[in-house]
Amino acid sequence: MNDVTRPLDPLGDGLPVPADAPLRAAVTKGRLLQCSIAMFEAAGADCSALRKPGRRLILPVSLPGGPGFEVVLAKAPDVITYVERGACDLGIVGKDTILERGQSFYEVLDLGFGACRFMLAVREGEDFFGRMHHRTVASKYPLVTRQFFERRGMDVDIIHIEGSVELAPILGLADGIVDLVETGGTLRENGLHPIETVAEISARLIANVAAVKTKRGPVTRFIDLCREAVLCSPS
Ligand code: PRP
C-alpha cells in the first residue's frame, strides 16, 4: 500500500465553491470508477445508483447516518478541470494525468489502486542510450516525457501520439516510447521492452482549494472516509 498520509499542499487558487452546495466528487470513468465504488462501499456507502448509472453522469451516493455526496462521471483530464475550477469539490484521478496536466488543487490522498508505471520502452535489441544520432520518443504524455529527459540532460525529439503508442517504434516513427505499463503484456506482445521507470502511478484523491476551506467539515469527512477504506483494503 502506498503512503496515504500526504499532507495538504496548497498549489493554486480555485474558484469559490458555495458552502451549501452538495458535496460533489468527480471520478474518472473506467477502472478507477470500479475501484472507487469498491472503496466507497467498504466505507459503508450505498452505491446502487452508481452501479447502474444508465446514461446519467451525476449519481447520488448515500452514507449511513449523514449526508451523502454526488459522483460526477468524467474523463481523467476533465476531472482535473472540474476540480480546479470548483465545479466539483473533490476528484479521483490517476497520478499520470496529474503529472501531465499540472496541479492547481490539493492532492490529498494516495488511494493505492490503479497502480502502474510510466516507463521508457524500446524495441528488442535497441541500444537507446548508446546510440549516437538524435533520439525520437513518442508518448501520449509529452510533458512527462520532456521533464524526464530534461532531468537526464538529454535533448530528445518528442512526438505526441494519442493512443496505441506502442505502434510508433514498430512503424519506425520513434526510437522509443514513454507510456503506462501495468502488466507489461502490451509491450511484450509488440516486441518492446521497458528500459527505465519514469514514475510510479496510482489513483489520487484531489480537492478544490476553496472547498477545503468553505466546506471544511464535509470535505474532511470525505477524505477520512476514503483514507479509512484504503487503509482497511488488502494491499
Ligand atoms: C494502456 C497503456 C498501454 C497499456 C499497458 O493503454 O497506454 O498501452 O494500457 O497495459 P499493460 O501493461 O497491462 O499491457 P490503454 O489500454 O489505456 O489504451 P491506449 O494505448 O489507447 O492509451
Side-chain angles (χ1 to χ4, degrees):
M1 182 58 59
N2 292 314
D3 174 24
V4 293
T5 57
R6 185 190 299 265
L8 294 179
D9 179 24
L11 292 166
D13 292 315
L15 296 174
V17 178
D20 56 349
L23 202 65
R24 275 192 170 154
V27 178
T28 305
K29 290 193 278 188
R31 189 172 157 224
L32 294 194
L33 173 61
Q34 298 314 312
C35 294
S36 300
I37 291 173
M39 177 180 71
F40 296 148
E41 289 180 339
D46 176 359
C47 295
S48 46
L50 201 50
R51 284 197 172 278
K52 289 188 179 172
R55 303 297 292 175
R56 284 179 297 167
L57 297 171
I58 303 179
L59 289 309
V61 172
S62 54
L63 288 166
F69 54 93
E70 290 179 331
V71 168
V72 174
L73 305 180
K75 291 200 172 203
D78 300 334
V79 167
I80 289 182
T81 302
Y82 290 132
V83 173
E84 279 183 338
R85 292 179 170 269
C88 292
D89 308 298
L90 295 141
I92 293 177
V93 64
K95 183 70 177 179
D96 51 325
T97 309
I98 292 174
L99 290 173
E100 186 67 23
R101 289 292 302 260
Q103 302 195 23
S104 297
F105 46 79
Y106 294 126
E107 185 182 319
V108 291
L109 205 55
D110 182 345
L111 298 171
F113 55 75
C116 56
R117 287 176 174 168
F118 268 133
M119 299 215 69
L120 171 63
V122 298
R123 282 187 303 264
E124 295 291 350
E126 168 80 33
D127 181 13
F128 182 84
F129 291 110
R131 68 189 307 155
M132 299 304 290
H133 69 78
H134 204 67
R135 298 167 193 84
T136 303
V137 173
S139 184
K140 196 173 168 179
Y141 301 86
L143 178 64
V144 168
T145 304
R146 187 176 336 115
Q147 290 175 340
F148 169 70
F149 285 108
E150 277 175 2
R151 284 197 299 275
R152 296 189 63 109
M154 289 174 65
D155 183 22
V156 168
D157 277 339
I158 296 164
I159 300 177
H160 186 190
I161 295 286
E162 285 294 347
S164 301
V165 181
E166 294 83 359
L167 286 169
I170 298 169
L171 299 178
L173 184 68
D175 303 308
I177 61 172
V178 168
D179 197 19
L180 292 173
V181 177
E182 187 186 353
T183 63
T186 310
L187 289 182
R188 265 194 311 277
E189 291 186 29
N190 289 288
L192 306 177
H193 74 112
I195 56 172
E196 196 151 323
T197 299
V198 175
E200 300 284 346
I201 301 300
S202 56
R204 307 296 160 106
L205 179 62
I206 63 173
N208 173 265
V209 173
V212 167
K213 299 186 186 82
T214 60
K215 295 186 175 182
R216 186 162 195 88
V219 165
T220 302
R221 272 195 296 282
F222 187 97
I223 294 168
D224 289 345
L225 172 150
C226 294
R227 179 183 288 114
E228 283 161 26
V230 164
L231 286 173
C232 289
S233 72
S235 54

mmCIF file of all heavy atoms in Angstrom, residues 72-118:
data_model
loop_
_atom_site.group_PDB
_atom_site.id
_atom_site.type_symbol
_atom_site.label_atom_id
_atom_site.label_comp_id
_atom_site.label_asym_id
_atom_site.label_seq_id
_atom_site.Cartn_x
_atom_site.Cartn_y
_atom_site.Cartn_z
ATOM 1 N N VAL A 72 -19.705 12.614 -10.029
ATOM 2 C CA VAL A 72 -19.739 13.105 -11.412
ATOM 3 C C VAL A 72 -18.812 12.219 -12.233
ATOM 4 O O VAL A 72 -17.622 12.095 -11.908
ATOM 5 C CB VAL A 72 -19.279 14.581 -11.463
ATOM 6 C CG1 VAL A 72 -19.165 15.060 -12.906
ATOM 7 C CG2 VAL A 72 -20.223 15.462 -10.667
ATOM 8 N N LEU A 73 -19.345 11.568 -13.256
ATOM 9 C CA LEU A 73 -18.535 10.672 -14.076
ATOM 10 C C LEU A 73 -17.867 11.478 -15.200
ATOM 11 O O LEU A 73 -18.550 12.129 -15.985
ATOM 12 C CB LEU A 73 -19.412 9.563 -14.672
ATOM 13 C CG LEU A 73 -20.211 8.747 -13.643
ATOM 14 C CD1 LEU A 73 -21.038 7.672 -14.345
ATOM 15 C CD2 LEU A 73 -19.294 8.137 -12.599
ATOM 16 N N ALA A 74 -16.551 11.422 -15.269
ATOM 17 C CA ALA A 74 -15.830 12.256 -16.239
ATOM 18 C C ALA A 74 -14.562 11.563 -16.722
ATOM 19 O O ALA A 74 -14.076 10.621 -16.087
ATOM 20 C CB ALA A 74 -15.474 13.596 -15.595
ATOM 21 N N LYS A 75 -14.032 12.039 -17.840
ATOM 22 C CA LYS A 75 -12.727 11.572 -18.309
ATOM 23 C C LYS A 75 -11.635 12.198 -17.440
ATOM 24 O O LYS A 75 -11.821 13.297 -16.898
ATOM 25 C CB LYS A 75 -12.528 11.958 -19.770
ATOM 26 C CG LYS A 75 -13.462 11.184 -20.682
ATOM 27 C CD LYS A 75 -12.959 11.192 -22.114
ATOM 28 C CE LYS A 75 -13.834 10.235 -22.920
ATOM 29 N NZ LYS A 75 -13.204 9.741 -24.121
ATOM 30 N N ALA A 76 -10.496 11.512 -17.377
ATOM 31 C CA ALA A 76 -9.450 11.906 -16.427
ATOM 32 C C ALA A 76 -9.051 13.389 -16.505
ATOM 33 O O ALA A 76 -9.071 14.084 -15.476
ATOM 34 C CB ALA A 76 -8.239 11.000 -16.609
ATOM 35 N N PRO A 77 -8.718 13.931 -17.691
ATOM 36 C CA PRO A 77 -8.308 15.348 -17.703
ATOM 37 C C PRO A 77 -9.436 16.276 -17.262
ATOM 38 O O PRO A 77 -9.192 17.332 -16.669
ATOM 39 C CB PRO A 77 -7.946 15.600 -19.175
ATOM 40 C CG PRO A 77 -7.711 14.248 -19.760
ATOM 41 C CD PRO A 77 -8.617 13.316 -19.020
ATOM 42 N N ASP A 78 -10.686 15.868 -17.542
ATOM 43 C CA ASP A 78 -11.825 16.698 -17.148
ATOM 44 C C ASP A 78 -12.058 16.671 -15.644
ATOM 45 O O ASP A 78 -12.552 17.643 -15.069
ATOM 46 C CB ASP A 78 -13.087 16.247 -17.896
ATOM 47 C CG ASP A 78 -12.924 16.362 -19.404
ATOM 48 O OD1 ASP A 78 -12.109 17.201 -19.838
ATOM 49 O OD2 ASP A 78 -13.584 15.611 -20.133
ATOM 50 N N VAL A 79 -11.709 15.561 -14.992
ATOM 51 C CA VAL A 79 -11.795 15.506 -13.522
ATOM 52 C C VAL A 79 -10.961 16.652 -12.938
ATOM 53 O O VAL A 79 -11.395 17.391 -12.058
ATOM 54 C CB VAL A 79 -11.300 14.140 -12.983
ATOM 55 C CG1 VAL A 79 -11.088 14.197 -11.469
ATOM 56 C CG2 VAL A 79 -12.285 13.031 -13.350
ATOM 57 N N ILE A 80 -9.763 16.816 -13.484
ATOM 58 C CA ILE A 80 -8.882 17.887 -13.004
ATOM 59 C C ILE A 80 -9.498 19.262 -13.287
ATOM 60 O O ILE A 80 -9.525 20.133 -12.417
ATOM 61 C CB ILE A 80 -7.482 17.747 -13.635
ATOM 62 C CG1 ILE A 80 -6.795 16.516 -13.018
ATOM 63 C CG2 ILE A 80 -6.654 19.014 -13.435
ATOM 64 C CD1 ILE A 80 -5.392 16.273 -13.487
ATOM 65 N N THR A 81 -10.027 19.454 -14.490
ATOM 66 C CA THR A 81 -10.636 20.742 -14.841
ATOM 67 C C THR A 81 -11.791 21.073 -13.898
ATOM 68 O O THR A 81 -11.899 22.195 -13.391
ATOM 69 C CB THR A 81 -11.135 20.715 -16.298
ATOM 70 O OG1 THR A 81 -10.026 20.420 -17.150
ATOM 71 C CG2 THR A 81 -11.753 22.047 -16.698
ATOM 72 N N TYR A 82 -12.685 20.097 -13.655
ATOM 73 C CA TYR A 82 -13.844 20.348 -12.787
ATOM 74 C C TYR A 82 -13.403 20.686 -11.359
ATOM 75 O O TYR A 82 -13.988 21.546 -10.715
ATOM 76 C CB TYR A 82 -14.779 19.129 -12.779
ATOM 77 C CG TYR A 82 -15.516 18.916 -14.089
ATOM 78 C CD1 TYR A 82 -15.563 17.667 -14.692
ATOM 79 C CD2 TYR A 82 -16.158 19.984 -14.727
ATOM 80 C CE1 TYR A 82 -16.231 17.475 -15.901
ATOM 81 C CE2 TYR A 82 -16.827 19.790 -15.926
ATOM 82 C CZ TYR A 82 -16.858 18.544 -16.509
ATOM 83 O OH TYR A 82 -17.513 18.368 -17.705
ATOM 84 N N VAL A 83 -12.373 20.021 -10.880
ATOM 85 C CA VAL A 83 -11.916 20.281 -9.506
ATOM 86 C C VAL A 83 -11.153 21.610 -9.445
ATOM 87 O O VAL A 83 -11.376 22.420 -8.548
ATOM 88 C CB VAL A 83 -11.061 19.109 -8.982
ATOM 89 C CG1 VAL A 83 -10.441 19.465 -7.624
ATOM 90 C CG2 VAL A 83 -11.915 17.844 -8.861
ATOM 91 N N GLU A 84 -10.287 21.851 -10.415
ATOM 92 C CA GLU A 84 -9.525 23.110 -10.411
ATOM 93 C C GLU A 84 -10.450 24.325 -10.423
ATOM 94 O O GLU A 84 -10.213 25.322 -9.746
ATOM 95 C CB GLU A 84 -8.596 23.180 -11.623
ATOM 96 C CG GLU A 84 -7.311 22.417 -11.462
ATOM 97 C CD GLU A 84 -6.382 22.563 -12.653
ATOM 98 O OE1 GLU A 84 -6.866 22.898 -13.759
ATOM 99 O OE2 GLU A 84 -5.192 22.337 -12.484
ATOM 100 N N ARG A 85 -11.526 24.227 -11.213
ATOM 101 C CA ARG A 85 -12.416 25.378 -11.396
ATOM 102 C C ARG A 85 -13.576 25.397 -10.416
ATOM 103 O O ARG A 85 -14.433 26.286 -10.476
ATOM 104 C CB ARG A 85 -12.920 25.428 -12.840
ATOM 105 C CG ARG A 85 -11.786 25.746 -13.802
ATOM 106 C CD ARG A 85 -12.234 25.786 -15.231
ATOM 107 N NE ARG A 85 -11.168 26.314 -16.074
ATOM 108 C CZ ARG A 85 -11.015 27.596 -16.367
ATOM 109 N NH1 ARG A 85 -11.853 28.494 -15.897
ATOM 110 N NH2 ARG A 85 -10.020 27.994 -17.132
ATOM 111 N N GLY A 86 -13.629 24.433 -9.507
ATOM 112 C CA GLY A 86 -14.628 24.463 -8.440
ATOM 113 C C GLY A 86 -15.988 23.912 -8.814
ATOM 114 O O GLY A 86 -16.924 23.999 -8.027
ATOM 115 N N ALA A 87 -16.133 23.330 -10.015
ATOM 116 C CA ALA A 87 -17.404 22.695 -10.378
ATOM 117 C C ALA A 87 -17.602 21.424 -9.553
ATOM 118 O O ALA A 87 -18.734 20.997 -9.335
ATOM 119 C CB ALA A 87 -17.425 22.372 -11.862
ATOM 120 N N CYS A 88 -16.505 20.813 -9.132
ATOM 121 C CA CYS A 88 -16.543 19.672 -8.211
ATOM 122 C C CYS A 88 -15.600 19.975 -7.052
ATOM 123 O O CYS A 88 -14.577 20.642 -7.218
ATOM 124 C CB CYS A 88 -16.114 18.388 -8.904
ATOM 125 S SG CYS A 88 -17.296 17.827 -10.162
ATOM 126 N N ASP A 89 -15.965 19.474 -5.864
ATOM 127 C CA ASP A 89 -15.154 19.731 -4.678
ATOM 128 C C ASP A 89 -13.958 18.798 -4.608
ATOM 129 O O ASP A 89 -12.891 19.176 -4.114
ATOM 130 C CB ASP A 89 -16.011 19.521 -3.415
ATOM 131 C CG ASP A 89 -17.298 20.305 -3.481
ATOM 132 O OD1 ASP A 89 -17.206 21.550 -3.538
ATOM 133 O OD2 ASP A 89 -18.388 19.691 -3.515
ATOM 134 N N LEU A 90 -14.174 17.571 -5.068
ATOM 135 C CA LEU A 90 -13.153 16.531 -4.955
ATOM 136 C C LEU A 90 -13.059 15.775 -6.264
ATOM 137 O O LEU A 90 -13.980 15.841 -7.098
ATOM 138 C CB LEU A 90 -13.525 15.565 -3.826
ATOM 139 C CG LEU A 90 -13.540 16.200 -2.429
ATOM 140 C CD1 LEU A 90 -14.687 15.668 -1.610
ATOM 141 C CD2 LEU A 90 -12.211 15.973 -1.736
ATOM 142 N N GLY A 91 -11.990 15.027 -6.447
ATOM 143 C CA GLY A 91 -11.851 14.238 -7.660
ATOM 144 C C GLY A 91 -10.987 13.017 -7.408
ATOM 145 O O GLY A 91 -10.144 13.004 -6.495
ATOM 146 N N ILE A 92 -11.222 11.981 -8.200
ATOM 147 C CA ILE A 92 -10.371 10.793 -8.160
ATOM 148 C C ILE A 92 -9.808 10.606 -9.562
ATOM 149 O O ILE A 92 -10.553 10.453 -10.542
ATOM 150 C CB ILE A 92 -11.170 9.555 -7.695
ATOM 151 C CG1 ILE A 92 -11.577 9.738 -6.220
ATOM 152 C CG2 ILE A 92 -10.333 8.284 -7.875
ATOM 153 C CD1 ILE A 92 -12.421 8.625 -5.649
ATOM 154 N N VAL A 93 -8.476 10.670 -9.640
ATOM 155 C CA VAL A 93 -7.813 10.698 -10.960
ATOM 156 C C VAL A 93 -6.422 10.088 -10.815
ATOM 157 O O VAL A 93 -5.827 10.112 -9.722
ATOM 158 C CB VAL A 93 -7.746 12.163 -11.475
ATOM 159 C CG1 VAL A 93 -6.880 13.037 -10.587
ATOM 160 C CG2 VAL A 93 -7.297 12.240 -12.920
ATOM 161 N N GLY A 94 -5.905 9.542 -11.910
ATOM 162 C CA GLY A 94 -4.580 8.924 -11.870
ATOM 163 C C GLY A 94 -3.469 9.966 -11.769
ATOM 164 O O GLY A 94 -3.586 11.071 -12.284
ATOM 165 N N LYS A 95 -2.375 9.552 -11.117
ATOM 166 C CA LYS A 95 -1.206 10.430 -10.998
ATOM 167 C C LYS A 95 -0.630 10.748 -12.380
ATOM 168 O O LYS A 95 -0.024 11.798 -12.587
ATOM 169 C CB LYS A 95 -0.146 9.751 -10.120
ATOM 170 C CG LYS A 95 1.091 10.577 -9.862
ATOM 171 C CD LYS A 95 0.834 11.752 -8.958
ATOM 172 C CE LYS A 95 2.121 12.520 -8.659
ATOM 173 N NZ LYS A 95 1.889 13.675 -7.791
ATOM 174 N N ASP A 96 -0.862 9.853 -13.359
ATOM 175 C CA ASP A 96 -0.381 10.107 -14.722
ATOM 176 C C ASP A 96 -0.989 11.394 -15.271
ATOM 177 O O ASP A 96 -0.282 12.251 -15.823
ATOM 178 C CB ASP A 96 -0.693 8.921 -15.653
ATOM 179 C CG ASP A 96 -2.151 8.488 -15.591
ATOM 180 O OD1 ASP A 96 -2.750 8.565 -14.514
ATOM 181 O OD2 ASP A 96 -2.692 8.074 -16.635
ATOM 182 N N THR A 97 -2.297 11.562 -15.084
ATOM 183 C CA THR A 97 -2.966 12.768 -15.583
ATOM 184 C C THR A 97 -2.534 13.987 -14.779
ATOM 185 O O THR A 97 -2.360 15.077 -15.325
ATOM 186 C CB THR A 97 -4.492 12.583 -15.516
ATOM 187 O OG1 THR A 97 -4.830 11.351 -16.155
ATOM 188 C CG2 THR A 97 -5.223 13.719 -16.214
ATOM 189 N N ILE A 98 -2.339 13.805 -13.476
ATOM 190 C CA ILE A 98 -1.889 14.923 -12.637
ATOM 191 C C ILE A 98 -0.518 15.413 -13.100
ATOM 192 O O ILE A 98 -0.282 16.618 -13.246
ATOM 193 C CB ILE A 98 -1.834 14.495 -11.155
ATOM 194 C CG1 ILE A 98 -3.251 14.237 -10.632
ATOM 195 C CG2 ILE A 98 -1.107 15.537 -10.306
ATOM 196 C CD1 ILE A 98 -3.307 13.676 -9.216
ATOM 197 N N LEU A 99 0.398 14.488 -13.370
ATOM 198 C CA LEU A 99 1.749 14.876 -13.789
ATOM 199 C C LEU A 99 1.723 15.609 -15.127
ATOM 200 O O LEU A 99 2.498 16.530 -15.357
ATOM 201 C CB LEU A 99 2.642 13.627 -13.907
ATOM 202 C CG LEU A 99 3.024 12.947 -12.590
ATOM 203 C CD1 LEU A 99 3.761 11.638 -12.868
ATOM 204 C CD2 LEU A 99 3.887 13.867 -11.735
ATOM 205 N N GLU A 100 0.810 15.210 -16.008
ATOM 206 C CA GLU A 100 0.768 15.810 -17.339
ATOM 207 C C GLU A 100 0.013 17.129 -17.352
ATOM 208 O O GLU A 100 0.306 18.013 -18.141
ATOM 209 C CB GLU A 100 0.122 14.820 -18.332
ATOM 210 C CG GLU A 100 0.152 15.250 -19.782
ATOM 211 C CD GLU A 100 1.555 15.293 -20.392
ATOM 212 O OE1 GLU A 100 2.456 14.612 -19.891
ATOM 213 O OE2 GLU A 100 1.739 16.041 -21.375
ATOM 214 N N ARG A 101 -0.980 17.268 -16.447
ATOM 215 C CA ARG A 101 -1.902 18.396 -16.534
ATOM 216 C C ARG A 101 -1.683 19.520 -15.526
ATOM 217 O O ARG A 101 -2.445 20.474 -15.481
ATOM 218 C CB ARG A 101 -3.330 17.884 -16.385
ATOM 219 C CG ARG A 101 -3.831 17.103 -17.583
ATOM 220 C CD ARG A 101 -3.992 18.012 -18.797
ATOM 221 N NE ARG A 101 -4.916 19.084 -18.482
ATOM 222 C CZ ARG A 101 -6.188 19.116 -18.835
ATOM 223 N NH1 ARG A 101 -6.684 18.138 -19.532
ATOM 224 N NH2 ARG A 101 -6.957 20.121 -18.506
ATOM 225 N N GLY A 102 -0.682 19.434 -14.646
ATOM 226 C CA GLY A 102 -0.480 20.496 -13.672
ATOM 227 C C GLY A 102 -1.292 20.282 -12.418
ATOM 228 O O GLY A 102 -2.058 19.320 -12.330
ATOM 229 N N GLN A 103 -1.149 21.173 -11.433
ATOM 230 C CA GLN A 103 -1.696 20.890 -10.112
ATOM 231 C C GLN A 103 -2.220 22.136 -9.419
ATOM 232 O O GLN A 103 -1.691 22.557 -8.406
ATOM 233 C CB GLN A 103 -0.622 20.263 -9.232
ATOM 234 C CG GLN A 103 -0.043 18.999 -9.787
ATOM 235 C CD GLN A 103 0.727 18.227 -8.740
ATOM 236 O OE1 GLN A 103 0.512 18.370 -7.557
ATOM 237 N NE2 GLN A 103 1.632 17.398 -9.193
ATOM 238 N N SER A 104 -3.304 22.734 -9.902
ATOM 239 C CA SER A 104 -3.900 23.855 -9.170
ATOM 240 C C SER A 104 -4.998 23.338 -8.258
ATOM 241 O O SER A 104 -6.161 23.731 -8.382
ATOM 242 C CB SER A 104 -4.454 24.889 -10.148
ATOM 243 O OG SER A 104 -3.419 25.430 -10.915
ATOM 244 N N PHE A 105 -4.617 22.405 -7.397
ATOM 245 C CA PHE A 105 -5.562 21.789 -6.469
ATOM 246 C C PHE A 105 -4.728 21.117 -5.386
ATOM 247 O O PHE A 105 -3.507 21.040 -5.493
ATOM 248 C CB PHE A 105 -6.445 20.747 -7.180
ATOM 249 C CG PHE A 105 -5.663 19.819 -8.076
ATOM 250 C CD1 PHE A 105 -4.959 18.751 -7.553
ATOM 251 C CD2 PHE A 105 -5.587 20.043 -9.440
ATOM 252 C CE1 PHE A 105 -4.218 17.913 -8.354
ATOM 253 C CE2 PHE A 105 -4.831 19.209 -10.254
ATOM 254 C CZ PHE A 105 -4.156 18.147 -9.703
ATOM 255 N N TYR A 106 -5.404 20.637 -4.343
ATOM 256 C CA TYR A 106 -4.697 19.857 -3.332
ATOM 257 C C TYR A 106 -4.713 18.391 -3.739
ATOM 258 O O TYR A 106 -5.773 17.868 -4.101
ATOM 259 C CB TYR A 106 -5.381 19.969 -1.967
ATOM 260 C CG TYR A 106 -5.344 21.325 -1.333
ATOM 261 C CD1 TYR A 106 -6.519 21.938 -0.910
ATOM 262 C CD2 TYR A 106 -4.151 21.982 -1.101
ATOM 263 C CE1 TYR A 106 -6.514 23.170 -0.289
ATOM 264 C CE2 TYR A 106 -4.125 23.221 -0.485
ATOM 265 C CZ TYR A 106 -5.307 23.815 -0.089
ATOM 266 O OH TYR A 106 -5.293 25.030 0.522
ATOM 267 N N GLU A 107 -3.566 17.742 -3.666
ATOM 268 C CA GLU A 107 -3.520 16.282 -3.825
ATOM 269 C C GLU A 107 -3.506 15.717 -2.411
ATOM 270 O O GLU A 107 -2.505 15.817 -1.705
ATOM 271 C CB GLU A 107 -2.269 15.893 -4.602
ATOM 272 C CG GLU A 107 -2.212 14.410 -4.913
ATOM 273 C CD GLU A 107 -0.936 14.050 -5.656
ATOM 274 O OE1 GLU A 107 -0.506 14.807 -6.555
ATOM 275 O OE2 GLU A 107 -0.365 13.002 -5.303
ATOM 276 N N VAL A 108 -4.651 15.175 -1.967
ATOM 277 C CA VAL A 108 -4.790 14.897 -0.532
ATOM 278 C C VAL A 108 -4.521 13.456 -0.132
ATOM 279 O O VAL A 108 -4.226 13.185 1.028
ATOM 280 C CB VAL A 108 -6.190 15.309 -0.013
ATOM 281 C CG1 VAL A 108 -6.317 16.806 -0.019
ATOM 282 C CG2 VAL A 108 -7.309 14.665 -0.792
ATOM 283 N N LEU A 109 -4.652 12.519 -1.062
ATOM 284 C CA LEU A 109 -4.522 11.119 -0.655
ATOM 285 C C LEU A 109 -4.078 10.246 -1.818
ATOM 286 O O LEU A 109 -4.585 10.396 -2.935
ATOM 287 C CB LEU A 109 -5.916 10.652 -0.183
ATOM 288 C CG LEU A 109 -6.043 9.510 0.802
ATOM 289 C CD1 LEU A 109 -5.229 9.769 2.068
ATOM 290 C CD2 LEU A 109 -7.513 9.306 1.159
ATOM 291 N N ASP A 110 -3.122 9.363 -1.533
ATOM 292 C CA ASP A 110 -2.771 8.309 -2.493
ATOM 293 C C ASP A 110 -3.696 7.134 -2.213
ATOM 294 O O ASP A 110 -3.623 6.532 -1.136
ATOM 295 C CB ASP A 110 -1.301 7.915 -2.304
ATOM 296 C CG ASP A 110 -0.862 6.866 -3.310
ATOM 297 O OD1 ASP A 110 -1.729 6.244 -3.956
ATOM 298 O OD2 ASP A 110 0.364 6.676 -3.452
ATOM 299 N N LEU A 111 -4.573 6.827 -3.159
ATOM 300 C CA LEU A 111 -5.594 5.796 -2.919
ATOM 301 C C LEU A 111 -5.065 4.381 -3.159
ATOM 302 O O LEU A 111 -5.757 3.412 -2.847
ATOM 303 C CB LEU A 111 -6.818 6.059 -3.814
ATOM 304 C CG LEU A 111 -7.514 7.405 -3.536
ATOM 305 C CD1 LEU A 111 -8.563 7.703 -4.601
ATOM 306 C CD2 LEU A 111 -8.157 7.401 -2.156
ATOM 307 N N GLY A 112 -3.894 4.272 -3.717
ATOM 308 C CA GLY A 112 -3.255 2.952 -3.852
ATOM 309 C C GLY A 112 -3.706 2.160 -5.063
ATOM 310 O O GLY A 112 -2.888 1.526 -5.726
ATOM 311 N N PHE A 113 -4.991 2.224 -5.413
ATOM 312 C CA PHE A 113 -5.447 1.416 -6.551
ATOM 313 C C PHE A 113 -5.081 2.098 -7.879
ATOM 314 O O PHE A 113 -4.622 3.236 -7.897
ATOM 315 C CB PHE A 113 -6.950 1.099 -6.453
ATOM 316 C CG PHE A 113 -7.879 2.277 -6.298
ATOM 317 C CD1 PHE A 113 -8.180 3.103 -7.372
ATOM 318 C CD2 PHE A 113 -8.495 2.541 -5.076
ATOM 319 C CE1 PHE A 113 -9.058 4.162 -7.246
ATOM 320 C CE2 PHE A 113 -9.379 3.611 -4.931
ATOM 321 C CZ PHE A 113 -9.654 4.422 -6.020
ATOM 322 N N GLY A 114 -5.276 1.340 -8.974
ATOM 323 C CA GLY A 114 -4.882 1.867 -10.298
ATOM 324 C C GLY A 114 -3.369 1.938 -10.439
ATOM 325 O O GLY A 114 -2.843 2.762 -11.190
ATOM 326 N N ALA A 115 -2.659 1.058 -9.725
ATOM 327 C CA ALA A 115 -1.191 1.141 -9.719
ATOM 328 C C ALA A 115 -0.597 0.674 -11.044
ATOM 329 O O ALA A 115 -0.984 -0.359 -11.592
ATOM 330 C CB ALA A 115 -0.631 0.311 -8.575
ATOM 331 N N CYS A 116 0.312 1.455 -11.580
ATOM 332 C CA CYS A 116 1.069 1.099 -12.777
ATOM 333 C C CYS A 116 2.302 2.007 -12.819
ATOM 334 O O CYS A 116 2.602 2.667 -11.821
ATOM 335 C CB CYS A 116 0.216 1.249 -14.043
ATOM 336 S SG CYS A 116 -0.500 2.880 -14.283
ATOM 337 N N ARG A 117 3.012 2.014 -13.935
ATOM 338 C CA ARG A 117 4.239 2.822 -14.035
ATOM 339 C C ARG A 117 4.302 3.518 -15.381
ATOM 340 O O ARG A 117 3.890 2.947 -16.388
ATOM 341 C CB ARG A 117 5.475 1.926 -13.945
ATOM 342 C CG ARG A 117 5.722 1.401 -12.597
ATOM 343 C CD ARG A 117 6.900 0.464 -12.625
ATOM 344 N NE ARG A 117 7.212 0.060 -11.271
ATOM 345 C CZ ARG A 117 8.032 -0.906 -10.949
ATOM 346 N NH1 ARG A 117 8.653 -1.570 -11.889
ATOM 347 N NH2 ARG A 117 8.253 -1.204 -9.691
ATOM 348 N N PHE A 118 4.883 4.716 -15.386
ATOM 349 C CA PHE A 118 5.348 5.307 -16.634
ATOM 350 C C PHE A 118 6.706 4.684 -16.916
ATOM 351 O O PHE A 118 7.591 4.715 -16.040
ATOM 352 C CB PHE A 118 5.560 6.817 -16.478
ATOM 353 C CG PHE A 118 4.371 7.654 -16.831
ATOM 354 C CD1 PHE A 118 3.960 8.671 -15.993
ATOM 355 C CD2 PHE A 118 3.681 7.455 -18.020
ATOM 356 C CE1 PHE A 118 2.876 9.469 -16.311
ATOM 357 C CE2 PHE A 118 2.597 8.246 -18.354
ATOM 358 C CZ PHE A 118 2.198 9.247 -17.496
#
